[in-house]
């Protein structure tokens, strides 16, 4: 397969995806565009809800399996857009449009890469690709729902915009709901158990608290109070204050350990995790994928942002064209040459590891 032809077709596919609304849980039509690609290249594929997936032609159960994954859902466009978010516009080498950078460029680059290797015999790894849904919403019908359906995965490349550098670790996420209880009363009467006043010390505790274990790749656990709610009218002291705490977890802790620490130490009446499933992820620096990437001149780093890596239990590497700082921004774009470079680097990386 001529790589330049695949690259041109991948850019055309990205333009189709941009111009097809695909908010999380509404990816039916973009899934059809991806199906059409596989049909065009005679690739046997399957579709599970809005997840489209395939394995390489000469899949061998005795070999380890490498997952290539990125997503085709998007967030909703924000109000600051000056261009039509659902129109693929090329200006000055930039391809504008919702989902162009996050993560359409990564997805079409991985699809082209998979297509390049699809008919290869005697690969050292099997390949499975999943163009997944519901990544942006961490929904129940995304990549997490596919792990019991696709072949067992031994290692993964997750396509997210990293400027084609190697995100060798990614922070996990736990969101907590906390309650500080007090005594409700009329505002005109004395009250030594005012929940709002009690929240002052609790907020200071959350601001100052540090988890002991740091990480070489991901730094410290980051704890942030992001929401506070209390009271219903001016003359009533409320009986409780509700807090929401966002915790970005490094690879020195499991999410369950984070919950145990906060439930033991936080000066609140109760603190409850919404979910413990979005764990931190990493890949050993000595893994062949990492060593090959470093040999190609790519840098390594730890990523603070969440992706579908969080649902994987195997080693995983986040790698893709585009820049994370453009994600979810107004007038989102990706450079055309970033897609070209992305496909070239993906193919060279796999040539070094699986051929």
């Amino acid at each position: 397969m001529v790589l330049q032809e695949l690259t041109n077709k991948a850019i055309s596919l990205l333009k189709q995806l941009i111009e097809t609304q695909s908010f999380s849980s509404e990816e039916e039509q973009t899934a059809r565009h991806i199906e059409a690609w596989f049909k065009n290249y005679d690739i046997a594929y399957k579709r599970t809800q809005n997840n489209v997936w395939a394995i390489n032609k000469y899949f061998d159960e005795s070999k380890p399996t490498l997952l290539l994954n990125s997503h085709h859902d998007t967030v909703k466009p924000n109000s600051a857009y000056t261009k039509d978010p659902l129109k693929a516009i090329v200006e000055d080498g930039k391809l504008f449009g919702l989902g162009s950078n996050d993560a359409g460029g990564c997805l079409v680059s991985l699809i082209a890469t998979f297509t390049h290797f699809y008919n290869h015999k005697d690969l050292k790894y099997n390949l499975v690709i999943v163009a997944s849904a519901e990544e942006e919403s961490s929904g129940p019908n995304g990549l997490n729902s596919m792990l019991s359906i696709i072949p067992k995965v031994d290692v993964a490349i997750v396509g997210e915009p990293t400027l084609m550098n190697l995100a060798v670790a990614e922070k996990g996420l736990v969101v907590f709901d906390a309650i500080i209880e007090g005594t409700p009363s009329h505002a005109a009467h004395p009250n030594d158990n005012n929940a709002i006043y009690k929240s002052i010390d609790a907020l200071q505790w959350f601001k100052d608290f540090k988890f002991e274990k740091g990480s070489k790749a991901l730094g410290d656990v980051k704890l942030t109070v992001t929401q506070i709610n209390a009271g219903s009218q001016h003359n009533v002291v409320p009986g409780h204050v509700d807090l929401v705490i966002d915790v970005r977890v490094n690879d020195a802790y499991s999410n369950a350990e984070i919950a145990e620490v906060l439930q033991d130490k936080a000066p609140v009446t109760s603190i409850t995790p919404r979910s413990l499933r979005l764990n931190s992820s990493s890949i050993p620096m000595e893994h062949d994928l990492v060593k090959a990437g470093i040999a190609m001149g790519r840098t390594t780093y730890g990523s603070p942002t969440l992706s579908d890596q969080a649902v994987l239990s195997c080693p995983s590497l986040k790698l893709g064209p585009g820049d994370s700082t453009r994600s979810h921004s107004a007038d989102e774009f990706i450079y055309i040459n970033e897609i070209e470079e992305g496909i070239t680097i993906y193919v060279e990386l796999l040539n070094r590891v699986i051929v």
Side-chain angles (χ1 to χ4, degrees):
M1 190 71 64
V2 178
L3 205 56
Q4 188 58 54
E5 174 198 339
L6 278 174
T7 300
N8 293 339
K9 294 288 189 182
I11 294 167
S12 296
L13 174 59
L14 178 54
K15 292 176 180 177
Q16 287 182 304
L17 297 178
I18 289 169
E19 296 191 346
T20 306
Q21 181 175 304
S22 57
F23 305 145
S24 288
S25 305
E26 301 175 17
E27 310 95 345
E28 295 88 353
Q29 299 305 315
T30 45
R32 290 183 181 180
H33 290 312
I34 296 164
E35 288 179 296
W37 171 288
F38 288 138
K39 290 175 183 176
N40 183 59
Y41 285 101
D42 295 321
I43 293 172
Y45 73 91
K46 295 182 180 180
R47 177 171 170 176
T48 305
Q49 298 188 61
N50 292 328
N51 303 282
V52 185
W53 63 283
I55 61 175
N56 60 300
K57 188 173 184 178
Y58 298 101
F59 189 95
D60 182 345
E61 290 186 357
S62 68
K63 296 178 179 180
T65 296
L66 168 60
L67 169 67
L68 306 178
N69 164 252
S70 192
H71 63 95
H72 58 104
D73 65 316
T74 72
V75 296
K76 294 183 178 180
N78 62 55
S79 61
Y81 265 81
T82 64
K83 302 178 185 296
D84 184 343
L86 296 179
K87 186 174 181 181
I89 300 169
V90 178
E91 292 178 358
D92 301 323
K94 300 174 182 177
L95 174 54
F96 290 89
L98 184 65
S100 56
N101 182 77
D102 183 15
C106 302
L107 176 62
V108 301
S109 298
L110 284 172
I111 289 174
T113 301
F114 175 84
T115 303
H116 174 78
F117 287 102
Y118 176 71
N119 288 305
H120 280 48
K121 294 182 178 180
D122 301 319
L123 296 175
K124 296 176 184 176
Y125 281 77
N126 298 308
L127 292 178
V128 55
I129 187 164
V130 179
S132 55
E134 296 192 6
E135 190 273 346
E136 296 290 4
S137 62
S138 298
N141 299 313
L143 179 63
N144 53 304
S145 70
M146 298 300 299
L147 299 179
S148 62
I149 297 172
I150 63 175
K152 177 183 176 295
V153 176
D154 296 282
V155 66
I157 296 175
V158 175
E160 290 284 341
T162 70
L163 294 171
M164 291 309 292
N165 289 313
L166 312 174
V168 295
E170 176 187 274
K171 283 189 173 180
L173 170 66
V174 191
V175 178
F176 290 88
D177 293 296
I179 299 173
I180 301 167
E181 291 185 346
T183 303
S185 69
H186 194 292
H189 299 152
N191 186 340
D192 294 328
N193 194 32
N194 184 316
I196 292 178
Y197 292 160
K198 289 172 68 176
S199 72
I200 296 171
D201 289 339
L203 291 171
Q204 189 65 50
W205 185 90
F206 282 117
K207 182 181 178 182
D208 295 340
F209 182 74
K210 304 293 183 185
F211 286 88
E212 293 180 359
K213 292 185 286 186
S215 160
K216 183 176 180 180
L218 293 173
D220 294 332
V221 175
K222 187 175 188 300
L223 182 154
T224 309
V225 177
T226 56
Q227 292 176 257
I228 183 168
N229 185 59
S232 58
Q233 59 193 71
H234 78 91
N235 59 349
V236 176
V237 175
H240 60 90
V241 174
D242 299 320
L243 304 178
V244 176
I245 301 101
D246 178 297
V247 184
R248 304 290 166 152
V249 184
N250 66 20
D251 52 349
Y253 292 91
S254 69
N255 287 357
E257 288 172 327
I258 293 292
E260 184 177 351
V261 170
L262 290 183
Q263 287 171 336
D264 180 56
K265 296 180 179 294
V268 294
T269 306
S270 65
I271 183 165
T272 306
R274 294 180 181 178
S275 169
L276 296 176
R277 68 184 181 88
L278 301 176
N279 284 286
S280 61
S281 51
S282 63
I283 187 170
M285 293 296 291
E286 62 271 17
H287 194 282
D288 286 345
L289 283 171
V290 178
K291 291 193 295 184
I294 293 171
M296 291 166 59
R298 314 318 297 177
T299 60
T300 63
Y301 73 102
S303 173
T305 57
L306 199 68
S307 74
D308 267 336
Q309 277 186 285
V311 304
L312 297 172
S313 57
C314 65
S316 56
L317 174 69
K318 186 159 67 176
L319 174 68
D323 187 337
S324 179
T325 61
R326 301 182 209 136
S327 300
H328 305 180
S329 65
D331 297 335
E332 179 184 348
F333 71 89
I334 189 168
Y335 287 98
I336 296 290
N337 64 12
E338 288 178 326
I339 300 170
E340 296 168 343
E341 179 192 47
I343 294 171
T344 299
I345 292 174
Y346 278 144
V347 169
E348 183 180 348
L349 181 70
L350 294 192
N351 271 329
R352 290 170 179 246
V353 175
I354 72 172
V355 174

